[in-house]
């Protein structure tokens, strides 16, 4: 890997379902200045989303000058969606209007810097590999638990993107034949059992059944189940609410089921768990580790991968996108 130039900076953009986060990142993975905007919803045209990205880039360039930072040399974009193997085209983004969108070309016509596009989970894993929980590891899997499940794979120190660029969509592995209907159109997908949506769905099911176990959760939202969120359930669990802890334990169990399946297929050294739901910490990871240990193929006769929490938190995608962009520029230059 070509070493970073001393004092160099790059812009990273992380595009999620609700916000576009941006920052100027130095060679050590530190965010020196940052900004954010709301993500235009999928009713808007691709041009509106690109307007938002350009606005973020312009803001960051101005902030870098004001802060006396070295001028950013590249822009890396991490997008929540399917990014083609050319790392230029967003094939499909579920929360945006992108369908076979030539994003690198569109942005390149408006931003006078080299641009790199990648999947947001790939960017997050790269950040954890360079600066976080998977540092000095050559074989790793990143699992991002949010509204759904995203993922990425590191093999021999390189991101595995697949022939068509869509590797790592673990959330749509089938774990329960004929199970819960998924937004992707199939049934029984992993993210229907281990995600923020699954956590909230199960809590609402209890409340709608008038279970006395859901009394505390209902009180937290004034009886309005539409206001119930994953972070609220996690907060209730931290406060000792037994049903909230039980629900997180179930999510953790299904997380362990999926990890055991992935270990059989990929055999990594470490699984890095990120995304908003991972904030539950040991209440989630403890049950996941227990299930993983029980279901790992060849258990007792093979090394078992470690399961660890991501260390860069919500900044991982931004830092990884910037780092991938900067390294792409250096590779071209060399």
């Amino acid at each position: 890997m070509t070493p970073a130039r001393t004092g160099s900076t790059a812009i990273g953009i992380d595009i999620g379902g609700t916000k576009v986060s941006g920052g100027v990142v130095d060679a050590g993975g530190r965010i020196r200045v940052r900004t954010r905007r709301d993500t235009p919803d999928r009713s808007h045209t691709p041009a509106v989303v690109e307007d938002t990205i350009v606005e973020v880039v312009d803001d960051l360039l101005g902030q870098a000058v004001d802060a006396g930072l070295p001028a950013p040399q590249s822009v890396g974009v991490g997008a929540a969606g399917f990014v083609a193997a050319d790392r230029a085209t967003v094939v499909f983004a579920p929360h945006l209007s992108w369908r076979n969108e030539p994003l690198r070309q569109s942005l390149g016509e408006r931003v006078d810097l080299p641009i790199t596009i990648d999947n947001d989970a790939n960017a997050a894993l790269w950040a954890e590999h360079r600066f976080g929980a998977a540092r000095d590891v050559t074989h790793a899997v990143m699992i991002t638990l949010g509204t759904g499940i995203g993922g990425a794979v590191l093999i021999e120190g390189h991101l595995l993107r697949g022939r068509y660029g869509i590797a790592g969509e673990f959330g749509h592995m089938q774990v329960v034949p004929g199970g819960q209907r998924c937004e992707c159109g199939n049934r029984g997908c992993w993210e229907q059992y281990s995600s923020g949506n699954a956590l909230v769905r199960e809590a609402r099911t209890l409340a709608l059944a008038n279970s006395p176990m859901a009394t505390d959760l209902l009180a937290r939202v004034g009886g309005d189940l539409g206001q119930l969120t994953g972070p609220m359930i996690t907060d209730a669990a931290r406060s000792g609410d037994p049903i909230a802890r039980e629900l997180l334990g179930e999510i953790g169990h299904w997380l362990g089921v999926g990890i055991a399946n992935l270990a059989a297929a990929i055999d990594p050294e470490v699984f890095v768990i990120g995304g908003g739901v991972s904030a539950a910490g040991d209440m989630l990871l403890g049950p996941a580790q227990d299930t993983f240990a029980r279901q790992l193929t060849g258990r007792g006769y093979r090394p078992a991968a470690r399961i660890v929490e991501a260390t860069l938190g919500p900044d991982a995608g931004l830092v990884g996108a910037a780092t991938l962009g900067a390294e792409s520029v250096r590779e071209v230059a060399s």
Side-chain angles (χ1 to χ4, degrees):
M1 183 180 295
T2 306
R5 290 179 295 169
T6 302
S8 62
T9 66
I11 289 175
I13 308 289
D14 184 21
I15 305 171
T18 60
K19 67 181 184 299
V20 177
S21 301
V24 174
V25 179
D26 67 20
R30 294 174 292 270
I31 301 173
R32 305 297 296 275
V33 296
R34 66 170 76 220
T35 191
R36 60 169 286 175
R37 301 289 189 279
D38 291 337
T39 303
D41 64 39
R42 57 184 142 191
S43 67
H44 291 86
T45 66
V48 174
V49 183
E50 287 147 21
D51 287 345
T52 303
I53 297 171
V54 172
E55 183 180 331
V56 167
V57 170
D58 287 344
D59 185 356
L60 291 170
L61 289 172
Q63 286 195 55
V65 171
D66 293 342
L69 298 174
Q73 299 298 301
S74 59
V75 176
V77 178
F82 298 171
V83 177
D86 62 6
R87 296 173 66 190
T89 306
V90 181
V91 177
F92 172 74
H95 303 294
L96 298 168
S97 56
W98 288 332
R99 303 292 185 268
N100 291 309
E101 178 66 21
L103 184 59
R104 187 170 67 189
Q105 176 183 330
S106 298
L107 293 177
E109 294 170 354
R110 304 176 62 183
V111 175
D112 190 23
L113 287 171
I115 295 169
T116 299
I117 312 295
D118 216 320
N119 171 265
D120 59 342
N122 283 346
L125 176 54
W126 196 246
E128 293 290 343
H129 173 54
R130 290 295 311 279
F131 309 110
R135 192 168 187 174
D136 301 322
V137 169
T138 57
H139 293 72
V141 171
M142 179 95 184
I143 298 168
T144 56
L145 299 178
T147 302
I149 293 179
V153 180
L154 186 79
I155 300 292
E156 296 186 352
H158 299 281
L159 288 170
L160 176 67
R161 295 186 173 87
R163 172 62 182 85
Y164 303 106
I166 308 174
E169 291 298 327
F170 310 136
H172 299 289
M173 299 186 305
Q174 187 185 67
V175 295
V176 180
Q180 293 279 349
R181 176 73 73 180
C182 181
E183 291 179 1
C184 76
N186 294 328
R187 288 186 177 274
C189 291
W190 188 24
E191 70 176 41
Q192 292 303 311
Y193 299 88
S194 187
S195 66
N197 273 355
L199 180 64
V200 172
R201 183 194 66 229
E202 293 303 300
R204 287 176 177 168
T205 298
L206 273 176
L208 289 170
N210 295 316
S211 169
M213 300 297 289
T215 300
D216 181 59
L217 292 177
L218 272 171
R220 286 173 179 265
V221 293
D224 182 1
L225 285 177
Q227 300 302 311
L228 188 63
T229 65
M232 287 181 182
I233 298 170
T234 300
D235 286 343
R238 289 197 188 101
S239 300
D241 183 278
I243 196 61
R245 296 184 73 90
E246 181 179 324
L247 291 169
L248 279 170
E250 290 177 1
I251 297 298
H253 162 76
W254 284 108
L255 177 60
V257 169
I259 288 175
N261 289 340
L262 290 170
I266 299 171
D267 190 30
E269 179 180 344
V270 63
F271 286 92
V272 180
I273 313 301
V277 181
S278 69
D282 286 343
M283 293 184 294
L284 176 79
L285 297 188
Q289 289 166 335
D290 291 344
T291 300
F292 174 62
R294 290 195 304 271
Q295 299 202 4
L296 177 63
T297 302
R299 53 194 174 276
Y301 296 95
R302 59 174 287 180
R306 294 178 290 120
I307 302 173
V308 301
E309 188 174 348
T311 58
L312 298 180
D315 289 333
L318 187 163
V319 171
T323 304
L324 285 167
E327 290 172 358
S328 178
V329 169
R330 289 197 295 275
E331 288 170 7
V332 170
S334 63

